[in-house]
Amino acid sequence: MGKYIVQGGNKLSGQIFVSGAKNAVLPILASTVLNSGISILKNVPMLLDTMVAIDILRDLGCDVDYGENTVIVNSKNMNKTTVNQDLVKKMRSSIVFLGAIISRFKEASICYPGGCNLGKRPIDFHLLAFEKMGININEENEIIKASVNNITPTTINLPFASVGATQNIILASIFVNGKVIIKNCAREPEIIDMANFLIKMGANISGAGTDTITITGVDKLKELVEYTIMPDRIEAGTFLCMSAITNGHTKIDGINPQYLTSLIEILESTGCIIHTNKNSINIKAPNVIKPIEFLETKPYPYFPTDLQPQIMSLLAVAKGTSTIKENIFEARNKHIAELNKLGCNILENDNTFIINGVDNLTGTTVFSKDLRGGAGLITAGLFAKGKTVVEGACYINRGYENLDKKLNLLGADIKYIKD
Ligand code: EPZ
Protein backbone atom coordinates (compact mmCIF):
# COMPACT_ATOMS: atom_id res chain seq x y z
CA MET A 1 0.00 0.00 0.00
CA GLY A 2 2.81 2.47 0.88
CA LYS A 3 2.58 5.49 3.15
CA TYR A 4 3.45 9.15 3.51
CA ILE A 5 5.14 10.42 6.67
CA VAL A 6 4.56 14.13 7.30
CA GLN A 7 6.22 16.27 9.98
CA GLY A 8 3.74 19.12 10.38
CA GLY A 9 4.36 22.80 11.01
CA ASN A 10 6.41 23.89 7.99
CA LYS A 11 5.09 26.79 5.91
CA LEU A 12 4.91 26.07 2.17
CA SER A 13 6.71 28.67 0.09
CA GLY A 14 8.20 28.91 -3.38
CA GLN A 15 6.77 27.73 -6.65
CA ILE A 16 5.99 24.47 -8.42
CA PHE A 17 4.62 23.37 -11.76
CA VAL A 18 1.56 21.11 -11.82
CA SER A 19 1.57 17.92 -13.90
CA GLY A 20 -0.78 16.99 -16.74
CA ALA A 21 -4.40 16.29 -15.81
CA LYS A 22 -5.23 12.71 -14.78
CA ASN A 23 -8.90 13.20 -15.68
CA ALA A 24 -7.99 14.42 -19.16
CA VAL A 25 -5.31 11.87 -20.02
CA LEU A 26 -7.47 8.85 -19.14
CA PRO A 27 -10.25 9.53 -21.69
CA ILE A 28 -7.63 10.73 -24.20
CA LEU A 29 -5.73 7.43 -23.88
CA ALA A 30 -9.02 5.61 -24.55
CA SER A 31 -9.53 7.87 -27.61
CA THR A 32 -6.25 6.67 -29.15
CA VAL A 33 -7.92 3.42 -30.29
CA LEU A 34 -10.05 5.39 -32.76
CA ASN A 35 -7.54 6.32 -35.47
CA SER A 36 -5.87 2.93 -36.07
CA GLY A 37 -2.66 4.92 -36.08
CA ILE A 38 -0.21 6.83 -33.92
CA SER A 39 -0.97 9.26 -31.10
CA ILE A 40 1.90 11.13 -29.44
CA LEU A 41 0.79 12.50 -26.06
CA LYS A 42 2.93 15.02 -24.17
CA ASN A 43 2.72 16.31 -20.56
CA VAL A 44 1.28 12.94 -19.49
CA PRO A 45 1.29 12.47 -15.70
CA MET A 46 2.98 9.11 -15.01
CA LEU A 47 0.45 7.98 -12.39
CA LEU A 48 -0.79 4.56 -11.35
CA ASP A 49 -4.01 5.22 -13.30
CA THR A 50 -2.01 6.18 -16.41
CA MET A 51 -0.20 2.85 -16.22
CA VAL A 52 -3.51 0.96 -15.91
CA ALA A 53 -4.79 2.70 -19.07
CA ILE A 54 -1.52 1.83 -20.86
CA ASP A 55 -1.90 -1.80 -19.75
CA ILE A 56 -5.47 -1.84 -21.10
CA LEU A 57 -4.27 -0.49 -24.47
CA ARG A 58 -1.49 -3.09 -24.65
CA ASP A 59 -3.90 -5.86 -23.70
CA LEU A 60 -6.15 -4.74 -26.59
CA GLY A 61 -3.20 -5.21 -28.95
CA CYS A 62 -1.99 -1.62 -29.22
CA ASP A 63 1.74 -0.84 -29.15
CA VAL A 64 2.53 1.65 -26.38
CA ASP A 65 5.86 3.28 -25.53
CA TYR A 66 6.40 5.89 -22.86
CA GLY A 67 9.01 7.88 -20.99
CA GLU A 68 9.58 11.37 -19.59
CA ASN A 69 5.84 12.27 -19.50
CA THR A 70 5.38 11.28 -23.16
CA VAL A 71 3.24 8.34 -24.28
CA ILE A 72 3.16 7.06 -27.86
CA VAL A 73 0.27 4.76 -28.81
CA ASN A 74 0.02 2.90 -32.11
CA SER A 75 -3.45 1.39 -32.28
CA LYS A 76 -3.05 -0.01 -35.82
CA ASN A 77 -2.69 -3.62 -34.72
CA MET A 78 -5.39 -3.54 -32.08
CA ASN A 79 -6.99 -7.01 -32.24
CA LYS A 80 -9.35 -7.28 -29.27
CA THR A 81 -12.69 -5.72 -28.34
CA THR A 82 -12.93 -7.08 -24.79
CA VAL A 83 -11.40 -4.88 -22.12
CA ASN A 84 -9.32 -6.81 -19.59
CA GLN A 85 -11.48 -7.49 -16.54
CA ASP A 86 -8.75 -7.27 -13.90
CA LEU A 87 -7.65 -3.89 -15.22
CA VAL A 88 -11.22 -2.52 -15.36
CA LYS A 89 -11.68 -3.49 -11.72
CA LYS A 90 -8.56 -1.43 -10.89
CA MET A 91 -9.88 1.71 -12.54
CA ARG A 92 -13.57 2.40 -13.01
CA SER A 93 -12.99 5.22 -15.48
CA SER A 94 -11.92 2.51 -17.96
CA ILE A 95 -15.64 2.38 -18.81
CA VAL A 96 -14.95 5.04 -21.49
CA PHE A 97 -13.04 2.41 -23.49
CA LEU A 98 -16.51 1.01 -24.28
CA GLY A 99 -17.54 3.97 -26.43
CA ALA A 100 -14.18 4.17 -28.20
CA ILE A 101 -14.05 0.45 -29.07
CA ILE A 102 -17.69 0.39 -30.27
CA SER A 103 -16.90 3.33 -32.55
CA ARG A 104 -14.08 1.50 -34.28
CA PHE A 105 -15.23 -2.14 -34.18
CA LYS A 106 -19.04 -1.84 -33.77
CA GLU A 107 -18.76 -4.20 -30.83
CA ALA A 108 -17.15 -4.18 -27.41
CA SER A 109 -17.39 -5.89 -24.05
CA ILE A 110 -16.36 -4.80 -20.60
CA CYS A 111 -17.10 -5.93 -17.08
CA TYR A 112 -19.05 -3.71 -14.75
CA PRO A 113 -16.44 -1.30 -13.36
CA GLY A 114 -18.01 -1.64 -9.95
CA GLY A 115 -18.21 0.93 -7.21
CA CYS A 116 -15.40 2.27 -5.16
CA ASN A 117 -15.07 4.08 -1.86
CA LEU A 118 -17.07 7.03 -3.17
CA GLY A 119 -20.27 5.04 -3.59
CA LYS A 120 -22.12 2.84 -6.08
CA ARG A 121 -21.03 4.78 -9.16
CA PRO A 122 -23.52 3.18 -11.59
CA ILE A 123 -23.27 3.53 -15.38
CA ASP A 124 -26.98 3.68 -16.20
CA PHE A 125 -26.66 7.08 -17.94
CA HIS A 126 -24.00 5.60 -20.24
CA LEU A 127 -26.05 2.51 -21.15
CA LEU A 128 -29.37 4.37 -21.62
CA ALA A 129 -27.65 6.77 -24.00
CA PHE A 130 -26.02 3.91 -25.92
CA GLU A 131 -29.39 2.18 -26.33
CA LYS A 132 -30.87 5.42 -27.69
CA MET A 133 -27.95 5.47 -30.16
CA GLY A 134 -29.01 2.06 -31.46
CA ILE A 135 -26.35 0.10 -29.58
CA ASN A 136 -27.51 -3.35 -28.39
CA ILE A 137 -26.53 -3.87 -24.77
CA ASN A 138 -26.54 -7.34 -23.18
CA GLU A 139 -25.60 -7.71 -19.54
CA GLU A 140 -24.71 -11.16 -18.21
CA ASN A 141 -22.79 -12.01 -15.03
CA GLU A 142 -21.44 -8.50 -14.64
CA ILE A 143 -20.24 -8.45 -18.28
CA ILE A 144 -21.61 -5.82 -20.66
CA LYS A 145 -21.63 -6.90 -24.31
CA ALA A 146 -22.36 -4.08 -26.76
CA SER A 147 -22.85 -4.23 -30.52
CA VAL A 148 -24.24 -1.99 -33.22
CA ASN A 149 -24.77 -1.97 -36.99
CA ASN A 150 -24.72 1.80 -37.30
CA ILE A 151 -24.94 4.43 -34.57
CA THR A 152 -28.32 6.20 -34.77
CA PRO A 153 -28.10 9.98 -35.06
CA THR A 154 -30.05 11.28 -32.05
CA THR A 155 -30.25 13.79 -29.20
CA ILE A 156 -29.37 12.56 -25.71
CA ASN A 157 -30.73 14.47 -22.73
CA LEU A 158 -28.49 13.48 -19.80
CA PRO A 159 -30.39 13.34 -16.47
CA PHE A 160 -27.20 14.55 -14.76
CA ALA A 161 -24.09 16.26 -16.15
CA SER A 162 -22.07 13.06 -15.84
CA VAL A 163 -18.42 13.44 -16.90
CA GLY A 164 -17.95 9.79 -17.84
CA ALA A 165 -21.26 9.49 -19.67
CA THR A 166 -20.49 12.65 -21.67
CA GLN A 167 -17.09 11.24 -22.64
CA ASN A 168 -18.48 7.81 -23.55
CA ILE A 169 -21.23 9.24 -25.76
CA ILE A 170 -18.73 11.49 -27.58
CA LEU A 171 -16.42 8.53 -28.21
CA ALA A 172 -19.24 6.31 -29.49
CA SER A 173 -20.44 9.06 -31.87
CA ILE A 174 -17.24 9.93 -33.74
CA PHE A 175 -18.18 8.03 -36.95
CA VAL A 176 -21.98 8.48 -36.77
CA ASN A 177 -23.68 8.98 -40.15
CA GLY A 178 -25.17 12.35 -39.15
CA LYS A 179 -25.11 14.06 -35.73
CA VAL A 180 -25.37 13.12 -32.07
CA ILE A 181 -26.31 15.97 -29.75
CA ILE A 182 -25.76 15.72 -26.00
CA LYS A 183 -27.82 18.05 -23.80
CA ASN A 184 -27.12 18.73 -20.12
CA CYS A 185 -23.62 17.34 -20.67
CA ALA A 186 -20.65 17.82 -18.37
CA ARG A 187 -18.75 21.10 -18.86
CA GLU A 188 -15.50 20.16 -17.11
CA PRO A 189 -12.25 21.46 -18.69
CA GLU A 190 -11.15 17.82 -19.10
CA ILE A 191 -14.08 17.32 -21.50
CA ILE A 192 -12.76 20.27 -23.54
CA ASP A 193 -9.28 18.73 -23.54
CA MET A 194 -10.56 15.37 -24.78
CA ALA A 195 -12.63 17.12 -27.47
CA ASN A 196 -9.59 19.17 -28.54
CA PHE A 197 -7.55 15.99 -28.88
CA LEU A 198 -10.28 14.32 -30.96
CA ILE A 199 -10.68 17.44 -33.15
CA LYS A 200 -6.92 17.42 -33.75
CA MET A 201 -7.33 13.76 -34.76
CA GLY A 202 -9.94 14.87 -37.31
CA ALA A 203 -13.22 14.48 -35.42
CA ASN A 204 -15.99 17.07 -35.75
CA ILE A 205 -17.11 18.17 -32.26
CA SER A 206 -18.60 21.51 -31.23
CA GLY A 207 -19.82 22.92 -27.91
CA ALA A 208 -17.34 21.23 -25.55
CA GLY A 209 -17.36 23.21 -22.30
CA THR A 210 -21.01 24.20 -22.73
CA ASP A 211 -24.10 22.21 -21.73
CA THR A 212 -24.71 21.06 -25.29
CA ILE A 213 -22.17 19.16 -27.39
CA THR A 214 -22.71 18.24 -31.04
CA ILE A 215 -20.74 15.45 -32.70
CA THR A 216 -20.96 15.37 -36.49
CA GLY A 217 -19.72 12.03 -37.79
CA VAL A 218 -16.61 11.76 -39.97
CA ASP A 219 -15.49 8.85 -42.14
CA LYS A 220 -11.84 8.73 -41.18
CA LEU A 221 -9.39 10.13 -38.65
CA LYS A 222 -5.76 11.17 -39.10
CA GLU A 223 -3.33 8.30 -38.54
CA LEU A 224 -0.85 10.55 -36.78
CA VAL A 225 -1.72 13.07 -34.08
CA GLU A 226 0.36 14.86 -31.45
CA TYR A 227 -1.20 16.49 -28.40
CA THR A 228 -0.17 18.07 -25.09
CA ILE A 229 -2.38 17.22 -22.11
CA MET A 230 -3.84 20.17 -20.15
CA PRO A 231 -2.57 20.90 -16.61
CA ASP A 232 -4.23 19.25 -13.64
CA ARG A 233 -6.58 21.75 -11.97
CA ILE A 234 -7.31 19.38 -9.07
CA GLU A 235 -3.61 18.97 -8.30
CA ALA A 236 -3.24 22.76 -8.46
CA GLY A 237 -6.25 23.20 -6.15
CA THR A 238 -4.79 20.66 -3.74
CA PHE A 239 -1.54 22.64 -3.50
CA LEU A 240 -3.51 25.85 -2.91
CA CYS A 241 -5.29 24.25 0.06
CA MET A 242 -1.97 22.91 1.37
CA SER A 243 -0.42 26.38 1.10
CA ALA A 244 -3.39 27.93 2.87
CA ILE A 245 -3.33 25.51 5.83
CA THR A 246 0.39 26.05 6.42
CA ASN A 247 0.14 29.86 6.41
CA GLY A 248 2.24 29.61 3.26
CA HIS A 249 3.03 31.84 0.31
CA THR A 250 3.39 29.91 -2.93
CA LYS A 251 3.07 30.23 -6.70
CA ILE A 252 1.42 27.40 -8.63
CA ASP A 253 2.72 27.51 -12.19
CA GLY A 254 1.36 26.13 -15.45
CA ILE A 255 -2.32 26.36 -14.49
CA ASN A 256 -5.08 28.45 -16.04
CA PRO A 257 -6.75 30.16 -13.04
CA GLN A 258 -10.08 30.18 -14.89
CA TYR A 259 -10.33 26.42 -14.17
CA LEU A 260 -10.36 27.14 -10.42
CA THR A 261 -12.56 30.22 -9.97
CA SER A 262 -14.88 28.44 -7.53
CA LEU A 263 -11.97 27.39 -5.28
CA ILE A 264 -10.25 30.78 -5.55
CA GLU A 265 -13.45 32.51 -4.39
CA ILE A 266 -13.71 30.21 -1.37
CA LEU A 267 -10.03 30.60 -0.45
CA GLU A 268 -10.36 34.39 -0.66
CA SER A 269 -13.38 34.14 1.67
CA THR A 270 -11.16 32.32 4.19
CA GLY A 271 -8.79 35.31 4.11
CA CYS A 272 -6.22 34.13 1.54
CA ILE A 273 -4.78 36.78 -0.77
CA ILE A 274 -4.71 35.41 -4.31
CA HIS A 275 -3.18 36.95 -7.42
CA THR A 276 -3.52 35.27 -10.80
CA ASN A 277 -2.13 35.71 -14.26
CA LYS A 278 -2.60 33.78 -17.51
CA ASN A 279 -1.05 30.53 -16.27
CA SER A 280 -0.24 30.79 -12.60
CA ILE A 281 -1.88 31.35 -9.23
CA ASN A 282 -0.12 33.10 -6.35
CA ILE A 283 -1.49 32.51 -2.85
CA LYS A 284 -0.63 34.17 0.49
CA ALA A 285 -2.38 32.58 3.43
CA PRO A 286 -3.72 34.57 6.40
CA ASN A 287 -2.63 33.89 10.00
CA VAL A 288 -6.22 33.05 10.87
CA ILE A 289 -8.49 31.05 8.52
CA LYS A 290 -12.09 32.33 8.39
CA PRO A 291 -14.86 29.70 8.25
CA ILE A 292 -17.22 29.25 5.27
CA GLU A 293 -20.88 29.33 6.27
CA PHE A 294 -22.04 27.01 3.48
CA LEU A 295 -20.28 25.35 0.55
CA GLU A 296 -21.64 22.65 -1.75
CA THR A 297 -20.07 20.53 -4.47
CA LYS A 298 -21.68 20.61 -7.92
CA PRO A 299 -20.65 19.92 -11.54
CA TYR A 300 -18.26 22.39 -13.17
CA PRO A 301 -18.03 25.37 -13.03
CA TYR A 302 -19.17 25.10 -9.42
CA PHE A 303 -17.05 23.80 -6.53
CA PRO A 304 -15.50 20.45 -7.57
CA THR A 305 -16.16 17.35 -5.49
CA ASP A 306 -12.52 16.38 -6.09
CA LEU A 307 -11.42 19.25 -3.83
CA GLN A 308 -13.95 18.58 -1.05
CA PRO A 309 -11.63 16.65 1.31
CA GLN A 310 -8.82 19.15 0.84
CA ILE A 311 -10.95 22.25 1.59
CA MET A 312 -12.50 20.34 4.51
CA SER A 313 -9.06 19.92 6.09
CA LEU A 314 -8.43 23.66 5.74
CA LEU A 315 -11.80 24.56 7.27
CA ALA A 316 -11.16 22.08 10.10
CA VAL A 317 -8.63 24.60 11.52
CA ALA A 318 -10.67 27.76 10.77
CA LYS A 319 -11.86 30.12 13.51
CA GLY A 320 -15.48 29.03 13.61
CA THR A 321 -17.91 26.56 12.06
CA SER A 322 -18.23 25.75 8.35
CA THR A 323 -20.69 23.55 6.49
CA ILE A 324 -20.04 21.51 3.34
CA LYS A 325 -22.74 19.66 1.38
CA GLU A 326 -21.47 16.89 -0.94
CA ASN A 327 -23.89 16.57 -3.85
CA ILE A 328 -21.94 14.40 -6.30
CA PHE A 329 -20.95 11.19 -4.50
CA GLU A 330 -23.06 9.56 -1.83
CA ALA A 331 -20.01 8.28 0.05
CA ARG A 332 -17.21 10.80 -0.32
CA ASN A 333 -16.89 10.88 3.45
CA LYS A 334 -14.36 8.19 4.38
CA HIS A 335 -11.75 10.84 5.25
CA ILE A 336 -13.87 12.40 8.02
CA ALA A 337 -13.29 9.73 10.68
CA GLU A 338 -9.57 9.84 9.87
CA LEU A 339 -9.44 13.64 10.13
CA ASN A 340 -11.15 13.41 13.52
CA LYS A 341 -8.35 11.07 14.68
CA LEU A 342 -5.99 14.05 14.13
CA GLY A 343 -8.18 16.19 16.40
CA CYS A 344 -10.64 17.65 13.91
CA ASN A 345 -14.22 18.14 15.06
CA ILE A 346 -16.35 17.20 12.05
CA LEU A 347 -19.90 15.92 12.24
CA GLU A 348 -21.80 14.15 9.47
CA ASN A 349 -25.50 14.42 8.80
CA ASP A 350 -26.26 12.46 5.63
CA ASN A 351 -24.12 14.27 3.02
CA THR A 352 -23.88 17.50 4.98
CA PHE A 353 -20.69 17.93 7.00
CA ILE A 354 -20.46 20.34 9.95
CA ILE A 355 -16.86 21.38 10.49
CA ASN A 356 -16.20 22.97 13.90
CA GLY A 357 -12.81 24.66 13.60
CA VAL A 358 -10.14 23.71 16.14
CA ASP A 359 -6.86 25.42 17.03
CA ASN A 360 -4.61 22.39 16.99
CA LEU A 361 -4.23 19.03 15.35
CA THR A 362 -1.91 16.28 16.60
CA GLY A 363 -0.15 13.88 14.29
CA THR A 364 -1.04 10.18 14.39
CA THR A 365 -1.53 7.30 11.94
CA VAL A 366 -4.48 7.69 9.57
CA PHE A 367 -5.74 5.67 6.61
CA SER A 368 -6.64 7.05 3.19
CA LYS A 369 -9.53 5.16 1.62
CA ASP A 370 -9.59 7.00 -1.72
CA LEU A 371 -7.48 9.36 -3.78
CA ARG A 372 -8.75 12.79 -2.74
CA GLY A 373 -9.52 11.70 0.81
CA GLY A 374 -5.83 10.80 1.08
CA ALA A 375 -4.86 14.22 -0.25
CA GLY A 376 -7.07 15.74 2.44
CA LEU A 377 -5.27 13.75 5.13
CA ILE A 378 -1.86 14.94 3.92
CA THR A 379 -3.23 18.51 3.91
CA ALA A 380 -4.19 18.14 7.58
CA GLY A 381 -0.87 16.41 8.37
CA LEU A 382 1.04 19.45 7.06
CA PHE A 383 -0.64 21.45 9.84
CA ALA A 384 -0.70 18.89 12.65
CA LYS A 385 1.91 19.03 15.41
CA GLY A 386 4.40 16.16 15.17
CA LYS A 387 4.34 13.19 12.83
CA THR A 388 1.36 12.11 10.76
CA VAL A 389 1.55 8.76 8.97
CA VAL A 390 -0.89 8.52 6.07
CA GLU A 391 -1.29 4.85 5.13
CA GLY A 392 -2.73 3.85 1.75
CA ALA A 393 -0.36 5.88 -0.42
CA CYS A 394 -1.41 3.64 -3.34
CA TYR A 395 -4.70 5.56 -3.50
CA ILE A 396 -2.95 8.94 -3.44
CA ASN A 397 -0.43 7.93 -6.11
CA ARG A 398 -3.32 7.22 -8.49
CA GLY A 399 -3.74 10.97 -8.92
CA TYR A 400 -0.58 12.80 -7.79
CA GLU A 401 2.79 12.55 -9.54
CA ASN A 402 5.90 13.03 -7.35
CA LEU A 403 3.77 14.52 -4.56
CA ASP A 404 6.51 14.21 -1.93
CA LYS A 405 9.16 15.75 -4.21
CA LYS A 406 6.91 18.71 -5.06
CA LEU A 407 5.95 19.32 -1.41
CA ASN A 408 9.55 19.03 -0.20
CA LEU A 409 10.48 21.59 -2.90
CA LEU A 410 7.95 23.91 -1.23
CA GLY A 411 9.49 23.36 2.20
CA ALA A 412 7.31 20.58 3.57
CA ASP A 413 8.83 17.68 5.49
CA ILE A 414 7.23 14.65 3.85
CA LYS A 415 8.59 11.21 2.95
CA TYR A 416 7.04 8.56 0.73
CA ILE A 417 7.71 5.03 2.00
CA LYS A 418 7.03 2.32 -0.54
CA ASP A 419 5.85 -0.95 1.03
C1 EPZ B 1 -15.24 11.79 -13.09
O1 EPZ B 1 -15.79 10.60 -12.58
C2 EPZ B 1 -13.87 11.94 -12.46
N1 EPZ B 1 -13.03 10.81 -12.83
C3 EPZ B 1 -14.01 12.00 -10.93
O2 EPZ B 1 -12.70 12.21 -10.39
C4 EPZ B 1 -14.90 13.20 -10.58
O3 EPZ B 1 -15.08 13.23 -9.18
C5 EPZ B 1 -16.25 13.06 -11.29
O4 EPZ B 1 -16.04 12.93 -12.72
C6 EPZ B 1 -17.14 14.26 -11.04
O5 EPZ B 1 -16.50 15.42 -11.45
C7 EPZ B 1 -12.41 10.82 -14.03
O6 EPZ B 1 -12.58 11.73 -14.82
C8 EPZ B 1 -11.51 9.66 -14.33
P1 EPZ B 1 -19.70 11.26 -13.06
P2 EPZ B 1 -17.15 9.98 -13.23
O7 EPZ B 1 -20.12 10.30 -14.11
O8 EPZ B 1 -17.14 10.19 -14.68
C9 EPZ B 1 -23.51 9.37 -10.83
C10 EPZ B 1 -10.89 11.80 -8.97
O9 EPZ B 1 -10.75 11.84 -7.73
N2 EPZ B 1 -23.71 8.59 -12.07
O10 EPZ B 1 -19.74 12.72 -13.34
O11 EPZ B 1 -17.32 8.60 -12.71
C11 EPZ B 1 -22.26 8.90 -10.09
O12 EPZ B 1 -22.57 7.79 -9.27
C12 EPZ B 1 -12.15 11.19 -9.55
O13 EPZ B 1 -10.05 12.23 -9.79
C13 EPZ B 1 -24.85 7.81 -12.19
O14 EPZ B 1 -25.69 7.76 -11.29
O15 EPZ B 1 -18.23 10.93 -12.54
C14 EPZ B 1 -21.89 10.11 -9.29
O16 EPZ B 1 -22.67 10.14 -8.11
C15 EPZ B 1 -13.11 10.70 -8.48
N3 EPZ B 1 -25.03 7.10 -13.32
C16 EPZ B 1 -22.29 11.28 -10.19
O17 EPZ B 1 -23.23 10.73 -11.15
C17 EPZ B 1 -24.11 7.14 -14.36
O18 EPZ B 1 -24.34 6.48 -15.40
C18 EPZ B 1 -21.11 11.91 -10.94
O19 EPZ B 1 -20.54 10.91 -11.73
C19 EPZ B 1 -22.96 7.93 -14.21
C20 EPZ B 1 -22.78 8.67 -13.06
Side-chain angles (χ1 to χ4, degrees):
M1 296 281 263
K3 58 190 159 194
Y4 284 97
I5 300 176
V6 190
Q7 290 293 346
N10 293 13
K11 285 187 181 185
L12 296 192
S13 63
Q15 66 185 79
I16 43 118
F17 269 92
V18 291
S19 298
K22 165 180 91 81
N23 291 349
V25 74
L26 297 178
I28 287 172
L29 282 166
S31 307
T32 62
V33 310
L34 287 167
N35 72 339
S36 320
I38 295 172
S39 302
I40 303 169
L41 304 177
K42 302 226 164 127
N43 195 36
V44 174
M46 298 320 284
L47 306 162
L48 293 182
D49 276 7
T50 310
M51 299 318 293
V52 172
I54 288 173
D55 289 344
I56 288 175
L57 287 167
R58 285 176 167 166
D59 182 81
L60 291 169
C62 300
D63 298 306
V64 186
D65 289 312
Y66 62 86
E68 280 304 300
N69 299 106
T70 295
V71 174
I72 301 174
V73 182
N74 186 340
S75 62
K76 189 171 183 323
N77 299 324
M78 182 172 164
N79 54 15
K80 253 174 92 176
T81 58
T82 299
V83 188
N84 180 289
Q85 187 156 332
D86 295 338
L87 294 171
V88 171
K89 291 293 181 196
K90 280 186 184 174
M91 185 177 73
R92 43 161 291 102
S93 60
S94 35
I95 189 67
V96 294
F97 275 91
L98 193 59
I101 299 170
I102 289 173
S103 250
R104 178 169 165 187
F105 293 99
K106 298 194 183 296
E107 62 161 41
S109 67
I110 192 168
C111 68
Y112 248 90
C116 65
N117 286 328
L118 302 180
K120 290 192 300 298
R121 299 187 77 177
I123 55 170
D124 49 334
F125 305 155
H126 303 235
L127 302 182
L128 285 169
F130 281 0
E131 283 169 344
K132 194 162 184 221
M133 295 161 73
I135 299 169
N136 307 305
I137 302 282
N138 286 307
E139 298 174 52
E140 218 176 287
N141 313 326
E142 292 279 296
I143 302 286
I144 302 160
K145 288 190 184 335
S147 62
V148 67
N149 292 324
N150 291 301
I151 296 286
T152 308
T154 184
T155 296
I156 306 282
N157 290 292
L158 280 177
F160 177 83
S162 157
V163 171
T166 302
Q167 292 165 343
N168 235 342
I169 298 165
I170 290 171
L171 289 167
S173 307
I174 295 297
F175 300 119
V176 65
N177 184 5
K179 290 178 190 290
V180 170
I181 298 168
I182 315 170
K183 290 188 175 297
N184 190 33
C185 57
R187 298 159 57 187
E188 273 71 2
E190 294 75 21
I191 301 275
I192 301 174
D193 213 39
M194 180 185 95
N196 288 341
F197 169 73
L198 289 165
I199 291 164
K200 205 165 179 194
M201 201 186 237
N204 183 340
I205 302 168
S206 61
T210 74
D211 62 4
T212 302
I213 291 176
T214 301
I215 304 100
T216 305
V218 294
D219 295 330
K220 199 158 166 27
L221 295 170
K222 294 172 190 153
E223 290 176 6
L224 174 62
V225 60
E226 183 169 326
Y227 191 75
T228 299
I229 304 296
M230 67 174 280
D232 193 319
R233 63 188 170 102
I234 303 300
E235 183 192 21
T238 303
F239 286 125
L240 289 171
C241 293
M242 291 173 166
S243 302
I245 203 169
T246 59
N247 191 11
H249 186 180
T250 60
K251 186 178 181 213
I252 314 296
D253 266 319
I255 184 70
N256 177 347
Q258 279 180 344
Y259 296 156
L260 284 167
T261 45
S262 57
L263 173 68
I264 289 169
E265 281 162 19
I266 291 295
L267 289 173
E268 286 174 332
S269 305
T270 67
C272 295
I273 311 288
I274 292 183
H275 297 296
T276 63
N277 69 29
K278 214 158 55 67
N279 60 5
S280 70
I281 303 172
N282 208 312
I283 181 170
K284 173 97 182 64
N287 291 324
V288 174
I289 297 290
K290 291 182 210 152
I292 299 293
E293 193 179 339
F294 182 73
L295 164 65
E296 58 181 336
T297 63
K298 292 202 279 189
Y300 193 87
Y302 301 103
F303 193 89
T305 176
D306 291 349
L307 287 172
Q308 178 255 93
Q310 299 91 314
I311 199 74
M312 178 184 285
S313 295
L314 177 63
L315 296 174
V317 296
K319 273 274 174 282
T321 297
S322 307
T323 300
I324 297 179
K325 185 162 184 320
E326 170 59 54
N327 291 311
I328 307 291
F329 289 110
E330 73 268 23
R332 186 163 234 166
N333 59 358
K334 304 282 187 308
H335 47 286
I336 294 173
E338 300 304 310
L339 285 172
N340 287 340
K341 284 182 193 169
L342 292 166
C344 297
N345 178 352
I346 304 168
L347 306 168
E348 285 186 66
N349 170 13
D350 201 1
N351 266 327
T352 299
F353 313 131
I354 312 296
I355 303 136
N356 300 301
V358 295
D359 293 334
N360 300 301
L361 298 179
T362 308
T364 185
T365 298
V366 288
F367 295 83
S368 58
K369 310 282 173 56
D370 61 77
L371 162 55
R372 307 301 177 184
L377 294 174
I378 291 181
T379 303
L382 290 167
F383 177 89
K385 286 188 173 54
K387 180 171 85 168
T388 296
V389 179
V390 180
E391 296 284 357
C394 55
Y395 291 108
I396 300 166
N397 297 343
R398 291 187 54 180
Y400 293 94
E401 185 183 42
N402 300 325
L403 181 61
D404 52 336
K405 292 186 183 66
K406 288 173 180 167
L407 285 174
N408 284 325
L409 258 180
L410 291 175
D413 179 348
I414 179 170
K415 282 189 201 63
Y416 168 54
I417 312 286
K418 249 183 133 150
D419 251 351

